[in-house]
């Protein structure tokens, strides 16, 4: 089993930046790929990014491409998501999720979910 926890959310002005982190603990053998999802008020859950355990392949949703960057520190079982040029529509709870592999369309499976961290973009 593996436990995930997302950190780094908060209140930021439009155009600002935040850096989210996802920390994994427990069974590292289940820590294959990591994806980021978000749930905005009144909207469906959206997969926005993922990265393989080797860091060799990444995926970004069109809604965040060019603004968000995912990276991984495998030695510390930590994945980061850099959020730049934030917009009010980025306001959501952000979750990190484990999966088998990150493909060009996103995670191939969704195995373990963290509790999420709230990002609010408002002036």
């Amino acid at each position: 089993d593996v436990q995930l926890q997302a950190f780094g959310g908060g209140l930021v002005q439009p155009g600002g930046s935040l850096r989210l982190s996802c920390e994994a603990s427990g069974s590292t053998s289940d820590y294959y790929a990591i994806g980021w999802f978000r749930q905005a008020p009144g909207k469906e859950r959206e997969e926005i990014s993922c990265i393989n355990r080797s860091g060799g392949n990444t995926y970004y949703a069109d809604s965040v491409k060019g603004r968000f960057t995912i990276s991984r520190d495998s030695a510390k079982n930590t994945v980061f998501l850099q959020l730049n040029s934030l917009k009010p529509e980025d306001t959501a709870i952000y979750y990190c999720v484990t999966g088998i592999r990150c493909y060009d369309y996103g995670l191939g499976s969704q195995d373990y979910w963290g509790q999420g961290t709230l990002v609010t973009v408002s002036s």
Side-chain angles (χ1 to χ4, degrees):
D1 199 3
V2 62
Q3 294 79 45
L4 301 175
Q5 183 62 60
F7 300 96
L11 176 64
V12 63
Q13 299 180 50
S17 298
L18 285 174
R19 185 175 177 87
L20 307 182
S21 62
C22 175
E23 298 181 356
S25 61
S27 177
T28 57
S29 64
D30 293 329
Y31 190 56
Y32 301 133
I34 292 289
W36 285 92
F37 288 71
R38 67 183 182 185
Q39 180 76 60
K43 295 184 179 180
E44 293 184 355
R45 187 180 62 194
E46 176 189 21
E47 183 176 7
I48 57 174
S49 186
C50 64
I51 187 170
N52 278 328
R53 64 186 304 176
S54 66
N57 191 62
T58 58
Y59 158 83
Y60 296 97
D62 289 341
S63 58
V64 306
K65 191 175 299 182
R67 299 188 298 120
F68 293 5
T69 303
I70 192 169
S71 60
R72 185 166 190 165
D73 184 349
S74 296
K76 297 183 177 181
N77 292 330
T78 303
V79 171
F80 303 97
L81 187 68
Q82 180 69 40
L83 287 63
N84 295 329
S85 302
L86 284 164
K87 307 174 181 179
E89 53 262 42
D90 294 319
T91 297
I93 300 176
Y94 286 71
Y95 304 88
C96 54
V97 186
T98 64
I100 296 175
R101 183 173 174 83
C102 179
Y103 299 97
D104 57 3
Y105 59 84
L107 282 179
S109 66
Q110 301 168 14
D111 300 324
Y112 300 99
W113 289 77
Q115 292 187 352
T117 185
L118 176 63
V119 173
T120 302
V121 184
S122 179
S123 59

mmCIF file of all heavy atoms in Angstrom, residues 87-111:
data_model
loop_
_atom_site.group_PDB
_atom_site.id
_atom_site.type_symbol
_atom_site.label_atom_id
_atom_site.label_comp_id
_atom_site.label_asym_id
_atom_site.label_seq_id
_atom_site.Cartn_x
_atom_site.Cartn_y
_atom_site.Cartn_z
ATOM 1 N N LYS A 87 -4.641 31.437 -13.476
ATOM 2 C CA LYS A 87 -5.883 32.088 -13.847
ATOM 3 C C LYS A 87 -6.968 31.727 -12.837
ATOM 4 O O LYS A 87 -6.879 30.696 -12.173
ATOM 5 C CB LYS A 87 -6.323 31.648 -15.246
ATOM 6 C CG LYS A 87 -5.267 31.815 -16.324
ATOM 7 C CD LYS A 87 -5.740 31.206 -17.640
ATOM 8 C CE LYS A 87 -4.695 31.328 -18.711
ATOM 9 N NZ LYS A 87 -5.133 30.714 -19.993
ATOM 10 N N PRO A 88 -8.008 32.552 -12.723
ATOM 11 C CA PRO A 88 -9.098 32.211 -11.800
ATOM 12 C C PRO A 88 -9.697 30.836 -12.074
ATOM 13 O O PRO A 88 -10.108 30.159 -11.117
ATOM 14 C CB PRO A 88 -10.120 33.325 -12.041
ATOM 15 C CG PRO A 88 -9.293 34.494 -12.462
ATOM 16 C CD PRO A 88 -8.177 33.902 -13.294
ATOM 17 N N GLU A 89 -9.751 30.407 -13.337
ATOM 18 C CA GLU A 89 -10.307 29.100 -13.656
ATOM 19 C C GLU A 89 -9.422 27.944 -13.207
ATOM 20 O O GLU A 89 -9.834 26.782 -13.297
ATOM 21 C CB GLU A 89 -10.601 28.977 -15.155
ATOM 22 C CG GLU A 89 -9.417 29.299 -16.049
ATOM 23 C CD GLU A 89 -9.461 30.720 -16.587
ATOM 24 O OE1 GLU A 89 -9.799 31.636 -15.818
ATOM 25 O OE2 GLU A 89 -9.164 30.900 -17.785
ATOM 26 N N ASP A 90 -8.213 28.223 -12.731
ATOM 27 C CA ASP A 90 -7.362 27.189 -12.147
ATOM 28 C C ASP A 90 -7.749 26.873 -10.709
ATOM 29 O O ASP A 90 -7.198 25.931 -10.124
ATOM 30 C CB ASP A 90 -5.889 27.605 -12.192
ATOM 31 C CG ASP A 90 -5.341 27.700 -13.605
ATOM 32 O OD1 ASP A 90 -5.664 26.819 -14.434
ATOM 33 O OD2 ASP A 90 -4.578 28.650 -13.881
ATOM 34 N N THR A 91 -8.650 27.636 -10.133
ATOM 35 C CA THR A 91 -9.102 27.391 -8.772
ATOM 36 C C THR A 91 -9.725 26.004 -8.671
ATOM 37 O O THR A 91 -10.675 25.689 -9.385
ATOM 38 C CB THR A 91 -10.104 28.456 -8.329
ATOM 39 O OG1 THR A 91 -9.465 29.732 -8.308
ATOM 40 C CG2 THR A 91 -10.644 28.148 -6.943
ATOM 41 N N ALA A 92 -9.187 25.171 -7.788
ATOM 42 C CA ALA A 92 -9.645 23.792 -7.663
ATOM 43 C C ALA A 92 -8.913 23.129 -6.512
ATOM 44 O O ALA A 92 -7.934 23.660 -5.981
ATOM 45 C CB ALA A 92 -9.396 23.007 -8.956
ATOM 46 N N ILE A 93 -9.406 21.965 -6.127
ATOM 47 C CA ILE A 93 -8.651 21.077 -5.260
ATOM 48 C C ILE A 93 -7.785 20.198 -6.151
ATOM 49 O O ILE A 93 -8.292 19.570 -7.079
ATOM 50 C CB ILE A 93 -9.568 20.218 -4.378
ATOM 51 C CG1 ILE A 93 -10.443 21.108 -3.495
ATOM 52 C CG2 ILE A 93 -8.751 19.272 -3.519
ATOM 53 C CD1 ILE A 93 -11.450 20.327 -2.668
ATOM 54 N N TYR A 94 -6.501 20.145 -5.855
ATOM 55 C CA TYR A 94 -5.545 19.390 -6.653
ATOM 56 C C TYR A 94 -5.161 18.114 -5.922
ATOM 57 O O TYR A 94 -4.794 18.148 -4.748
ATOM 58 C CB TYR A 94 -4.296 20.233 -6.938
ATOM 59 C CG TYR A 94 -4.530 21.313 -7.969
ATOM 60 C CD1 TYR A 94 -5.304 22.427 -7.671
ATOM 61 C CD2 TYR A 94 -3.988 21.215 -9.253
ATOM 62 C CE1 TYR A 94 -5.535 23.407 -8.617
ATOM 63 C CE2 TYR A 94 -4.208 22.194 -10.199
ATOM 64 C CZ TYR A 94 -4.986 23.289 -9.877
ATOM 65 O OH TYR A 94 -5.208 24.267 -10.825
ATOM 66 N N TYR A 95 -5.251 16.994 -6.634
ATOM 67 C CA TYR A 95 -4.964 15.679 -6.087
ATOM 68 C C TYR A 95 -3.805 15.037 -6.845
ATOM 69 O O TYR A 95 -3.688 15.194 -8.063
ATOM 70 C CB TYR A 95 -6.169 14.743 -6.207
ATOM 71 C CG TYR A 95 -7.446 15.232 -5.575
ATOM 72 C CD1 TYR A 95 -8.339 16.021 -6.286
ATOM 73 C CD2 TYR A 95 -7.765 14.875 -4.271
ATOM 74 C CE1 TYR A 95 -9.515 16.459 -5.707
ATOM 75 C CE2 TYR A 95 -8.941 15.308 -3.691
ATOM 76 C CZ TYR A 95 -9.812 16.096 -4.413
ATOM 77 O OH TYR A 95 -10.981 16.520 -3.845
ATOM 78 N N CYS A 96 -2.980 14.281 -6.138
ATOM 79 C CA CYS A 96 -1.999 13.443 -6.808
ATOM 80 C C CYS A 96 -2.431 11.980 -6.706
ATOM 81 O O CYS A 96 -3.060 11.562 -5.729
ATOM 82 C CB CYS A 96 -0.583 13.631 -6.254
ATOM 83 S SG CYS A 96 -0.380 13.423 -4.475
ATOM 84 N N VAL A 97 -2.110 11.213 -7.748
ATOM 85 C CA VAL A 97 -2.616 9.854 -7.918
ATOM 86 C C VAL A 97 -1.497 8.978 -8.464
ATOM 87 O O VAL A 97 -0.745 9.404 -9.344
ATOM 88 C CB VAL A 97 -3.813 9.819 -8.894
ATOM 89 C CG1 VAL A 97 -4.431 8.426 -8.945
ATOM 90 C CG2 VAL A 97 -4.854 10.853 -8.518
ATOM 91 N N THR A 98 -1.402 7.737 -7.965
ATOM 92 C CA THR A 98 -0.462 6.778 -8.528
ATOM 93 C C THR A 98 -1.113 6.014 -9.668
ATOM 94 O O THR A 98 -2.330 5.798 -9.692
ATOM 95 C CB THR A 98 0.046 5.781 -7.482
ATOM 96 O OG1 THR A 98 -1.042 4.983 -7.007
ATOM 97 C CG2 THR A 98 0.695 6.503 -6.319
ATOM 98 N N GLY A 99 -0.303 5.558 -10.610
ATOM 99 C CA GLY A 99 -0.766 4.756 -11.722
ATOM 100 C C GLY A 99 0.351 3.872 -12.240
ATOM 101 O O GLY A 99 1.499 3.979 -11.810
ATOM 102 N N ILE A 100 -0.009 2.979 -13.160
ATOM 103 C CA ILE A 100 0.982 2.058 -13.717
ATOM 104 C C ILE A 100 2.003 2.804 -14.565
ATOM 105 O O ILE A 100 3.215 2.615 -14.431
ATOM 106 C CB ILE A 100 0.295 0.950 -14.536
ATOM 107 C CG1 ILE A 100 -0.581 0.082 -13.635
ATOM 108 C CG2 ILE A 100 1.333 0.097 -15.253
ATOM 109 C CD1 ILE A 100 -1.389 -0.950 -14.390
ATOM 110 N N ARG A 101 1.515 3.663 -15.442
ATOM 111 C CA ARG A 101 2.396 4.362 -16.364
ATOM 112 C C ARG A 101 1.723 5.622 -16.865
ATOM 113 O O ARG A 101 0.491 5.686 -16.948
ATOM 114 C CB ARG A 101 2.757 3.449 -17.551
ATOM 115 C CG ARG A 101 3.737 4.060 -18.539
ATOM 116 C CD ARG A 101 4.177 3.061 -19.588
ATOM 117 N NE ARG A 101 5.008 3.673 -20.607
ATOM 118 C CZ ARG A 101 6.309 3.879 -20.487
ATOM 119 N NH1 ARG A 101 6.942 3.500 -19.378
ATOM 120 N NH2 ARG A 101 6.997 4.455 -21.468
ATOM 121 N N CYS A 102 2.532 6.607 -17.198
ATOM 122 C CA CYS A 102 2.057 7.833 -17.802
ATOM 123 C C CYS A 102 2.214 7.732 -19.312
ATOM 124 O O CYS A 102 3.335 7.675 -19.821
ATOM 125 C CB CYS A 102 2.827 9.036 -17.257
ATOM 126 S SG CYS A 102 2.328 10.616 -17.959
ATOM 127 N N TYR A 103 1.081 7.689 -20.014
ATOM 128 C CA TYR A 103 1.077 7.651 -21.469
ATOM 129 C C TYR A 103 0.841 9.058 -22.029
ATOM 130 O O TYR A 103 0.654 10.021 -21.278
ATOM 131 C CB TYR A 103 -0.003 6.699 -21.980
ATOM 132 C CG TYR A 103 0.189 5.265 -21.534
ATOM 133 C CD1 TYR A 103 -0.498 4.764 -20.431
ATOM 134 C CD2 TYR A 103 1.050 4.421 -22.214
ATOM 135 C CE1 TYR A 103 -0.328 3.455 -20.023
ATOM 136 C CE2 TYR A 103 1.229 3.108 -21.814
ATOM 137 C CZ TYR A 103 0.539 2.631 -20.716
ATOM 138 O OH TYR A 103 0.712 1.331 -20.318
ATOM 139 N N ASP A 104 0.841 9.152 -23.342
ATOM 140 C CA ASP A 104 0.637 10.459 -23.956
ATOM 141 C C ASP A 104 -0.777 10.982 -23.753
ATOM 142 O O ASP A 104 -1.039 12.160 -24.016
ATOM 143 C CB ASP A 104 1.002 10.430 -25.446
ATOM 144 C CG ASP A 104 0.217 9.396 -26.232
ATOM 145 O OD1 ASP A 104 -0.652 8.715 -25.658
ATOM 146 O OD2 ASP A 104 0.490 9.262 -27.444
ATOM 147 N N TYR A 105 -1.677 10.129 -23.281
ATOM 148 C CA TYR A 105 -3.049 10.534 -22.990
ATOM 149 C C TYR A 105 -3.323 10.653 -21.495
ATOM 150 O O TYR A 105 -4.428 11.019 -21.092
ATOM 151 C CB TYR A 105 -4.045 9.546 -23.605
ATOM 152 C CG TYR A 105 -3.892 8.123 -23.119
ATOM 153 C CD1 TYR A 105 -4.487 7.700 -21.935
ATOM 154 C CD2 TYR A 105 -3.160 7.199 -23.854
ATOM 155 C CE1 TYR A 105 -4.345 6.391 -21.495
ATOM 156 C CE2 TYR A 105 -3.014 5.892 -23.422
ATOM 157 C CZ TYR A 105 -3.609 5.491 -22.236
ATOM 158 O OH TYR A 105 -3.476 4.189 -21.804
ATOM 159 N N GLY A 106 -2.344 10.310 -20.642
ATOM 160 C CA GLY A 106 -2.515 10.366 -19.204
ATOM 161 C C GLY A 106 -2.169 9.052 -18.537
ATOM 162 O O GLY A 106 -1.526 8.182 -19.116
ATOM 163 N N LEU A 107 -2.610 8.892 -17.287
ATOM 164 C CA LEU A 107 -2.321 7.688 -16.526
ATOM 165 C C LEU A 107 -3.058 6.476 -17.087
ATOM 166 O O LEU A 107 -4.232 6.570 -17.449
ATOM 167 C CB LEU A 107 -2.719 7.868 -15.066
ATOM 168 C CG LEU A 107 -1.795 8.680 -14.156
ATOM 169 C CD1 LEU A 107 -2.399 8.759 -12.760
ATOM 170 C CD2 LEU A 107 -0.405 8.080 -14.102
ATOM 171 N N GLY A 108 -2.362 5.332 -17.126
ATOM 172 C CA GLY A 108 -2.972 4.096 -17.566
ATOM 173 C C GLY A 108 -3.825 3.432 -16.498
ATOM 174 O O GLY A 108 -4.617 2.536 -16.815
ATOM 175 N N SER A 109 -3.679 3.836 -15.250
ATOM 176 C CA SER A 109 -4.505 3.366 -14.150
ATOM 177 C C SER A 109 -4.503 4.419 -13.057
ATOM 178 O O SER A 109 -3.657 5.311 -13.048
ATOM 179 C CB SER A 109 -4.011 2.022 -13.602
ATOM 180 O OG SER A 109 -2.742 2.172 -12.994
ATOM 181 N N GLN A 110 -5.450 4.315 -12.155
ATOM 182 C CA GLN A 110 -5.557 5.227 -11.012
ATOM 183 C C GLN A 110 -5.706 4.372 -9.758
ATOM 184 O O GLN A 110 -6.794 3.882 -9.474
ATOM 185 C CB GLN A 110 -6.745 6.175 -11.185
ATOM 186 C CG GLN A 110 -6.665 7.027 -12.441
ATOM 187 C CD GLN A 110 -7.970 7.734 -12.757
ATOM 188 O OE1 GLN A 110 -8.870 7.812 -11.936
ATOM 189 N NE2 GLN A 110 -8.064 8.256 -13.968
ATOM 190 N N ASP A 111 -4.621 4.188 -9.032
ATOM 191 C CA ASP A 111 -4.569 3.198 -7.967
ATOM 192 C C ASP A 111 -4.757 3.782 -6.570
ATOM 193 O O ASP A 111 -5.559 3.277 -5.791
ATOM 194 C CB ASP A 111 -3.244 2.432 -8.033
ATOM 195 C CG ASP A 111 -3.059 1.699 -9.356
ATOM 196 O OD1 ASP A 111 -4.059 1.199 -9.898
ATOM 197 O OD2 ASP A 111 -1.908 1.629 -9.838
#
